Amino acid sequence: MKKIMIALPLAAALAACGSNGSGDNAGGAKQQIKVVGSSTVYPFTTAVAEQFQKDNPNVSMVVESTGTGAGMKLFCAGVGANFPDIEDASRAIKKSEYENCVKNGAKTIIEVPIGIDGLTFIEGKDGALANLTQADIYKALAANPFGKGPNKAQTWKDVNPSLPAVKIRVLGPPPTSGTRDSLADLYLEKGCNTDPAMEALKQSDEAKHKDVCTKIREDGAYVEAGENDNLLVQKVSGEPGTLGVLGFSYLEENADKVKPVQIAGVAPTEATIADLSYPGARKLYIYLKGEHLAAKPAIKDFVAAFAKQWNTGGPLEKRGLVPFGGADAAAAAKQASELKPLDPLTLK
């Protein structure tokens, strides 16, 4: 887990969610904003937090990289001083997570989309797997491909005769990560559904379809690499034949060490992610609690600062975030200003 404290020691911070929470802080104490969640969103949030801290010395920022799923558990565990104010997420909040928030008193959840990322497969600079399809990836990583028994494929050539006989070894996110959910949604399920029988199974038995299509093998072909994406890059660059799964921003930052694997002939670039032609393109979010906004007005100011940095040509684009365009950009800017509560009927 990565953590950044852009602040004085916690003893000097005003962390109580109902205590004199304005940015002016008449008593002179700092107002603390705590953020948890996605390792993919983490570098963008820390960049905004660093500048926000400089511009608002009476606000203390604490940002932790816990993974989206683990962050949602912390975020939704309650309201008040002991619970995070903001959740970074590399996927949309789930219905079950929202219901857990409500159960624990966080009844007003606000979703703010911040931009687009591409979930990429990377390999070392000398890697031989230049192009894969979603079906290739599913056949290589699924525990029970198409429901026909345990996965016995050892090399990529075993799943597709046109691929090289390179041993299947993929370093990827753990179950607590939103990136793991995106891997399932964008790659595994799409690859699974190339079989018409699997499409039919989704209609007749959704639970079984999810198990067959998204459960990953546990025999060593897939290795859970934790939430440290920089370490993942180091391992992939130093282990010939090994692939890694991570966000586009980390690929851009490490282009001298690793290269992308094309997906169905499409390379991850800012252009292909922005127009969603890259199969791994996904929206990124931050989530807020309405109950905390009144006690900590600086949260709204922080979101406004985020919105100033996510536009085309802005600081976050330089760090690898792909900005929204057109109507999506206008909608994101409007939501950052209005902070309209989430409609639970839209959740899955």
Side-chain angles (χ1 to χ4, degrees):
M1 182 181 76
K2 293 175 285 186
K3 179 175 181 178
I4 182 170
M5 285 188 62
I6 314 165
L8 294 175
L10 284 179
L14 178 65
C17 185
S19 306
N20 191 24
S22 73
D24 294 334
N25 285 319
K30 284 182 178 289
Q31 174 186 170
Q32 185 187 88
I33 298 176
K34 184 176 181 180
V35 188
V36 296
S38 167
S39 63
T40 300
V41 181
Y42 174 81
F44 308 130
T45 299
T46 54
V48 178
E50 286 168 1
Q51 186 60 52
F52 188 74
Q53 177 69 66
K54 291 177 183 177
D55 295 340
N56 299 272
N58 286 329
V59 179
S60 162
M61 297 295 305
V62 178
V63 185
E64 297 182 27
S65 173
T66 62
T68 298
M72 283 291 185
K73 289 181 180 179
L74 294 169
F75 178 74
C76 289
V79 172
N82 297 323
F83 306 99
D85 304 293
I86 299 173
E87 157 75 359
D88 290 338
S90 58
R91 55 154 173 83
I93 189 172
K94 298 177 181 178
K95 182 180 179 181
S96 59
E97 291 167 336
Y98 177 88
E99 290 171 346
N100 189 44
C101 274
V102 172
K103 181 184 72 175
N104 292 320
K107 299 179 180 180
T108 305
I109 302 301
I110 298 162
E111 177 185 272
V112 181
I114 65 166
I116 314 173
D117 176 56
L119 182 56
T120 62
F121 278 76
I122 61 169
E123 61 181 348
K125 298 294 283 187
D126 297 326
L129 292 164
N131 183 56
L132 296 172
T133 66
Q134 288 153 306
D136 294 334
I137 293 166
Y138 171 71
K139 292 174 186 177
L141 299 183
N144 180 20
F146 304 116
K148 296 179 180 179
N151 197 334
K152 297 180 180 180
Q154 296 300 306
T155 72
W156 288 96
K157 192 175 184 66
D158 293 337
V159 304
N160 184 339
S162 68
L163 296 175
V166 174
K167 184 177 177 62
I168 299 169
R169 178 174 165 79
V170 178
L171 306 183
T176 54
S177 171
T179 299
R180 176 70 165 260
D181 294 321
S182 295
L183 174 63
D185 293 341
L186 299 172
Y187 288 99
L188 300 180
E189 187 171 346
K190 296 289 178 61
C192 181
N193 287 341
T194 58
D195 182 341
M198 294 298 100
E199 279 278 24
L201 180 62
K202 187 172 185 178
Q203 304 303 317
S204 62
D205 191 336
E206 190 169 351
K208 184 175 181 180
H209 175 270
K210 181 177 180 179
D211 183 73
V212 171
C213 290
T214 65
K215 187 176 181 180
I216 294 178
R217 61 196 295 186
E218 298 177 347
D219 59 357
Y222 182 87
V223 180
E224 293 179 4
E227 296 288 356
N228 190 330
D229 292 326
N230 288 314
L231 181 60
L232 185 149
V233 169
Q234 292 176 21
K235 289 182 177 180
V236 169
S237 64
E239 299 178 7
T242 297
L243 300 186
V245 184
L246 81 177
F248 175 68
S249 63
Y250 287 93
L251 168 63
E252 279 208 317
E253 289 176 7
N254 296 280
D256 59 326
K257 303 182 186 73
V258 295
K259 64 181 182 181
V261 176
Q262 292 186 14
I263 304 299
V266 182
T269 66
E270 185 163 331
T272 61
I273 294 169
D275 67 13
L276 304 182
S277 61
Y278 178 66
R282 57 177 177 166
K283 289 185 178 182
L284 303 178
Y285 306 87
I286 57 174
Y287 288 90
L288 322 171
K289 294 172 186 167
E291 291 81 3
H292 283 206
L293 285 175
K296 299 184 180 182
I299 295 173
K300 185 174 183 178
D301 296 334
F302 177 72
V303 176
F306 220 128
K308 289 179 180 178
Q309 294 196 37
W310 72 38
N311 294 323
T312 301
L316 296 185
E317 183 180 23
K318 294 179 174 63
R319 289 177 175 262
L321 181 70
V322 177
F324 288 122
D328 285 340
K334 182 179 181 182
Q335 176 62 356
S337 174
E338 296 181 354
L339 299 181
K340 183 178 179 181
L342 183 67
D343 180 358
L345 296 178
T346 64
L347 301 178
K348 298 179 181 179

